[in-house]
Amino acid sequence: MAAVQRNESLPRHVAIIMDGNGRWARKRHLPRQAGHVAGVNAVRDVVRAATDVGLEALTLYAFSSENWKRPAIEVGALMGLFRLYFRKDMDEVIGRGAKVRIIGSRTRVDPDIRSMIEDAERNSAGNNGLNLTFAFDYGGQEEIAAAARELARAAKEGRLDPESITPELVSSRLFTAGLPEPDLLIRTSGEMRVSNYLLWQIAYTEIFVTDRLWPDFRGIHLLEAIADFQRRERRFGGIGEGCGEVEEDPTRIKLAAG
Ligand code: FPP
């Protein structure tokens, strides 16, 4: 494995789609919830690695707005694990200097979870280490729609000139306002989808898909993904070194027949 370089090429923000808990459990003839329980160990290890390596931001997809469609017993288990994680791990996470933020709708979650979220955000607000964000009851399209609603309201009330709406202004109305856009998106379990995750924010994000199922993912695998990222050339729509010459007069270009 190539070593991670702790220099300016460290991604500032890593986002992860933690997928494959159900398959991990099925392979072991266990109920799906067992995969989620094992998934929490992976969360714990990855958060430790992220603080150890000095990452600026880590965003984990813990529960999508579509996950409510799952059987009630599975949703209940996920809510229970979220409660347990906040109760058991928050002291360590905050002690490691992380600033915790939860992005998503807060209207559907139980009030006790809502107050745990608020406590974690309040208790870590003064930290300046890892920006640790959990996407919880989160959907990217709804996040963009909410920002559009807010801007439209401001325009309607005469507080905003529609012509002044820029990508930066839209970004500032998203849940992730103030965070750098993700440099690296990791998806476990081999699926090639973005699943309504950070749709606006991942415009130029490098994607790393691994077949490893989330419960088997550890800090070392985060470092492997970062090392892979460090070997990539990002072009942001431009052209990179060694990508060929540009002919000043394209009419002189003759292509070989066939
Ligand atoms: C996707 O696997 C995973 C989830 C829907 C939930 C992620 C939750 C955890 C990792 C545990 C709880 C998290 C915290 C932060 C306490 P899947 O169930 O869709 O897997 P499958 O595609 O194999 O069925």
Side-chain angles (χ1 to χ4, degrees), residues 18-24 26 32 36 39-40 43 61-63 67 70 74 78 81-82 85 134 189 214:
M18 310 184 286
D19 193 16
N21 295 355
R23 275 161 285 172
W24 185 94
R26 201 162 60 236
R32 291 180 54 81
H36 300 315
V40 179
V43 169
Y61 206 177
F63 192 84
N67 285 154
R70 295 190 175 203
E74 182 174 348
L78 281 165
L81 283 174
F82 207 67
Y85 177 79
F134 294 95
S189 91
W214 177 252

